[in-house]
């Protein structure tokens, strides 16, 4: 009866969550996981399933004690769902789905039993790529850091190298450290690998923390080494050293080298203050009762007297409350009109080239840049007038602010070209006319 009820609960919850988050996970699998920085996510479900199987004995041993405490997680998940839906932000929806699952587990299994699945729940967070704005900032920061360390490594062996942003000038050629070389695609999977190694390595907590977090500087240093090796081999291999098969193969080699260094680090830590039984375990020992028999579930999960009739499992208040919350959320979300209302506007082709004494000349961006910016319309004009410094104007227009779409801010790409933001802030600019007014603009000194 208990297992049958659990199947019913799981089926109903799975159906409601699948309908509620269908478009979210469709985007996650088709779009976010297909990005080169996150294509390792296709393997994470297999890792999570193994971790759940590895903890099944502890899960079955612990009694199920229903608790209203699960609402402390479920309700924030609902609020985050609406935040993500109304703001068009997928990461909020990803975390919302995670909170929903955790809240439902807490409602029906209780806190003590849910704790047995803490680690699989934590690892499941690696299913979700970082938000776009954070991913972009982190990518550019890592590109600049990797470029800087790579140049120092090149100079260390006596080669001449000069860096401007993420462009390394070797004299005979220039290497650009692009997104693929930022190191982000090494940091996250290597950090996850460190976390898994720390989990399966029976040792003191402080050693586990070192194992997990040492992967971050390790991945940055090894990625910088990859950039330096590309520069060293360029005179021998030419452009092939920085692209194609060798580029991809060198990335794989660097990742394997990082794994080797991590295993070496674990070996060294094993020699420091070792304790009995320290080492890797393939599977944690079963946590069954003394005779190896799994104790029965708590009687609190038994149906009340007289409720064994068909459909009696619906009598549990936690189940009814959770279903009501999910159904209401689903019903309300179906009424939200998510059709974008794009305002009418004139094309930038009509942007004036003559403003008072100022004369302008329109500039055209290369198609490669336009594709990268992914904008809807733009205008770039150089203005000049006698006895005045020139003024360059660039305006980009993005007509869509739907989920998954984001603007390409200059502050994320200009540093890659060597520009340094020395001052940032806002200013109020007066607008003359019959009805004088002012607007607030962002001001940057580079």
């Amino acid at each position: 009866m208990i297992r049958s009820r659990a199947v019913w609960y799981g089926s109903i919850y799975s159906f409601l969550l699948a309908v509620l988050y269908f478009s979210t996970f469709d985007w996650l699998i088709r779009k976010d996981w297909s990005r080169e920085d996150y294509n390792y996510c296709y393997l994470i479900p297999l890792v999570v399933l193994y971790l759940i199987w590895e903890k099944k004995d502890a899960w079955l041993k612990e009694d199920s004690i229903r608790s209203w405490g699960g609402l402390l997680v479920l309700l924030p998940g609902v609020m985050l769902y609406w935040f993500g839906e109304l703001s068009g932000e997928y990461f909020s929806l990803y975390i919302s789905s995670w909170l929903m699952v955790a809240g439902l587990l807490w409602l029906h299994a209780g806190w003590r039993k849910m704790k047995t699945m803490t680690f699989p729940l934590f690892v499941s967070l690696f299913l979700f790529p970082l938000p776009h704005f954070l991913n972009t900032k982190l990518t550019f920061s890592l590109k600049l850091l990797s470029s800087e360390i790579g140049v120092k490594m090149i100079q260390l062996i006596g080669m001449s190298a000069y860096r401007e942003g993420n462009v390394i000038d070797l004299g005979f050629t220039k290497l650009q450290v692009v997104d693929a070389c930022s190191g982000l695609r090494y940091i996250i999977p290597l950090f996850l690998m460190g976390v898994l190694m720390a989990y399966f390595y029976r040792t003191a907590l402080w050693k586990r923390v070192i194992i997990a977090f040492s992967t971050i500087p390790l991945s940055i240093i090894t990625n910088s080494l990859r950039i330096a090796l590309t520069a060293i081999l360029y005179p021998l291999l030419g452009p092939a050293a920085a692209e194609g098969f060798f580029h991809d193969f060198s990335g794989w080699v660097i990742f394997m080298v990082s794994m080797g260094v991590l295993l070496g680090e674990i070996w060294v830590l094993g020699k420091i203050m070792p304790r009995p039984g320290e080492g890797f375990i393939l599977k944690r020992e079963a946590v069954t009762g003394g005779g190896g028999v799994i104790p029965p579930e708590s009687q609190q999960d038994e149906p009340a007297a007289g409720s064994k009739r068909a459909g009696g499992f619906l009598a549990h208040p936690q189940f009814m409350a959770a279903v009501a919350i999910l159904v209401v959320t689903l019903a309300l979300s179906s009424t939200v009109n998510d059709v974008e209302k794009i305002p009418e506007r004139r094309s930038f082709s009509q942007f004036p080239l003559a403003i008072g004494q100022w004369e302008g000349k329109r500039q055209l961006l290369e198609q490669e840049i336009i594709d990268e910016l992914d904008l809807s319309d733009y205008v770039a004009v150089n203005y000049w007038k006698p006895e005045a410094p020139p003024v360059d104007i660039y305006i980009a227009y993005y007509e869509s602010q739907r989920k998954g779409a984001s603007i390409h801010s200059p502050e994320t790409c200009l540093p890659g070209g060597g520009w340094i933001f020395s001052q940032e802030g806002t200013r109020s600019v007066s607008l003359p006319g019959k009805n004088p007014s002012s607007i607030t603009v962002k001001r940057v000194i580079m």
Side-chain angles (χ1 to χ4, degrees):
M1 180 63 183
I2 296 175
R3 294 184 184 276
S4 175
R5 186 189 309 122
V7 172
W8 272 104
Y9 286 174
S11 300
I12 294 174
Y13 287 143
S14 297
F15 173 76
L16 293 174
L17 291 175
V19 176
L20 196 62
Y21 291 100
F22 176 79
S23 61
T24 300
F25 280 86
D26 178 63
W27 178 274
L28 174 69
I29 296 172
R30 289 192 305 105
K31 297 291 186 178
D32 278 344
W33 285 5
S34 63
R35 292 153 55 191
E36 291 188 348
D37 284 345
Y38 294 101
N39 52 22
Y40 65 87
C41 289
Y42 287 106
L43 298 176
I44 303 300
L46 300 178
V47 176
V48 174
L49 287 175
Y50 173 78
L51 293 174
I52 292 174
W53 175 81
E54 193 263 343
K55 299 295 293 183
K56 70 180 186 304
D57 291 339
W59 172 268
L60 294 174
K61 173 188 178 295
E62 197 67 52
D63 293 342
S64 292
I65 304 176
R66 293 184 300 277
S67 170
W68 289 107
L71 293 179
L72 297 175
V73 178
L74 187 66
L75 293 179
V78 173
M79 290 187 288
L80 208 55
Y81 170 82
W82 285 111
F83 177 83
E85 277 292 312
L86 299 178
S87 65
E89 207 280 301
Y90 272 108
F91 186 74
S92 299
L93 291 168
Y94 297 155
I95 300 302
S96 167
S97 66
W98 186 89
L99 291 174
M100 290 276 202
V101 172
L104 293 174
L105 283 177
W106 191 351
L107 272 174
H108 289 280
W111 175 247
R112 288 184 59 186
K113 188 166 187 174
M114 179 186 163
K115 284 196 302 183
T116 63
M117 290 295 169
T118 299
F119 189 70
L121 282 171
F122 170 72
V123 172
S124 66
L125 288 172
F126 286 87
L127 290 167
F128 311 133
L130 296 173
H132 279 281
F133 77 93
L134 182 58
N135 184 87
T136 302
K137 285 185 174 293
L138 188 58
T139 298
F140 273 93
S141 299
L142 289 172
K143 283 199 298 187
L144 296 177
L145 180 59
S146 297
S147 302
E148 183 177 358
I149 298 177
V151 165
K152 293 185 182 301
M153 291 180 176
I154 296 171
Q155 294 172 343
L156 193 62
I157 65 170
M159 288 183 64
S160 176
Y162 177 74
R163 182 182 68 89
E164 281 188 338
N166 63 324
V167 178
I168 301 175
D169 191 341
L170 300 175
F172 52 86
T173 189
K174 291 183 178 181
L175 299 178
Q176 183 179 14
V177 181
V178 296
D179 290 355
C181 302
S182 67
L184 181 63
R185 63 187 54 175
Y186 300 118
I187 285 183
I188 300 179
L190 193 62
F191 176 69
L192 174 58
M193 190 64 66
V195 168
L196 292 172
M197 285 186 172
Y199 173 74
F200 286 107
Y201 188 63
R202 189 196 304 273
T203 187
L205 177 61
W206 65 271
K207 291 185 180 181
R208 294 184 177 185
V209 172
I210 291 177
I211 292 170
F213 286 95
S214 64
T215 57
I216 297 176
L218 174 62
S219 60
I220 294 175
I221 293 174
T222 53
N223 186 58
S224 301
L225 177 62
R226 177 193 183 192
I227 295 173
L229 288 175
T230 300
I232 295 171
L233 295 175
Y234 199 94
L236 299 175
L237 302 178
E243 58 189 30
F245 170 78
F246 185 83
H247 179 271
D248 296 337
F249 179 72
S250 64
W252 179 82
V253 170
I254 287 298
F255 188 82
M256 298 308 296
V257 169
S258 300
M259 287 290 297
V261 174
L262 190 60
L263 290 173
E265 175 188 337
I266 293 175
W267 180 81
V268 172
L269 288 173
K271 302 296 182 180
I272 302 174
M273 300 173 60
R275 65 182 190 181
E278 183 168 321
F280 282 105
I281 49 175
L282 296 178
K283 185 178 184 299
R284 297 180 179 252
E285 56 274 1
V287 285
T288 56
V293 179
I294 300 175
E297 294 279 348
S298 169
Q299 294 301 315
Q300 294 192 32
D301 211 23
E302 288 294 335
S307 66
K308 292 186 179 182
R309 64 185 181 279
F313 66 94
L314 294 174
H316 296 311
Q318 287 87 353
F319 173 76
M320 299 299 293
V323 168
I325 291 172
L326 292 177
V327 169
V328 170
T329 303
L330 183 59
L332 291 177
S333 66
S334 64
T335 65
V336 175
N337 183 9
D338 59 355
V339 178
E340 287 186 291
K341 297 180 180 179
I342 301 174
E344 295 184 4
R345 57 177 294 274
R346 287 187 293 172
S347 170
F348 277 143
S349 62
Q350 303 178 41
F351 200 84
L353 297 180
I355 304 177
Q357 299 182 17
W358 292 90
E359 296 291 334
K361 182 178 181 181
R362 196 177 304 275
Q363 305 295 313
L364 299 178
L365 300 178
E366 298 178 7
Q367 188 60 44
E368 180 182 9
I369 297 177
I370 295 176
D371 294 339
E372 179 67 24
L373 296 176
D374 196 24
L375 41 77
S376 306
D377 194 7
Y378 79 95
V379 60
V381 181
N382 295 341
Y383 289 95
W384 68 90
K385 73 174 183 177
E387 300 179 357
V391 174
D392 300 337
I393 288 182
Y394 164 74
I395 305 173
Y397 174 68
Y398 294 81
E399 69 177 10
S400 177
Q401 293 295 305
R402 67 188 185 278
K403 288 190 295 185
S406 60
I407 66 171
H408 192 106
S409 173
E411 67 179 341
T412 61
C413 58
L414 287 176
W419 294 93
I420 299 175
F421 284 36
S422 60
Q423 290 185 28
E424 293 184 70
T426 58
R427 277 202 171 184
S428 180
V429 178
S430 299
L431 300 178
K434 294 182 179 180
N435 299 310
S437 60
S438 64
I439 60 172
T440 301
V441 298
K442 186 170 183 178
R443 176 176 180 266
V444 179
I445 297 179
M446 297 182 291

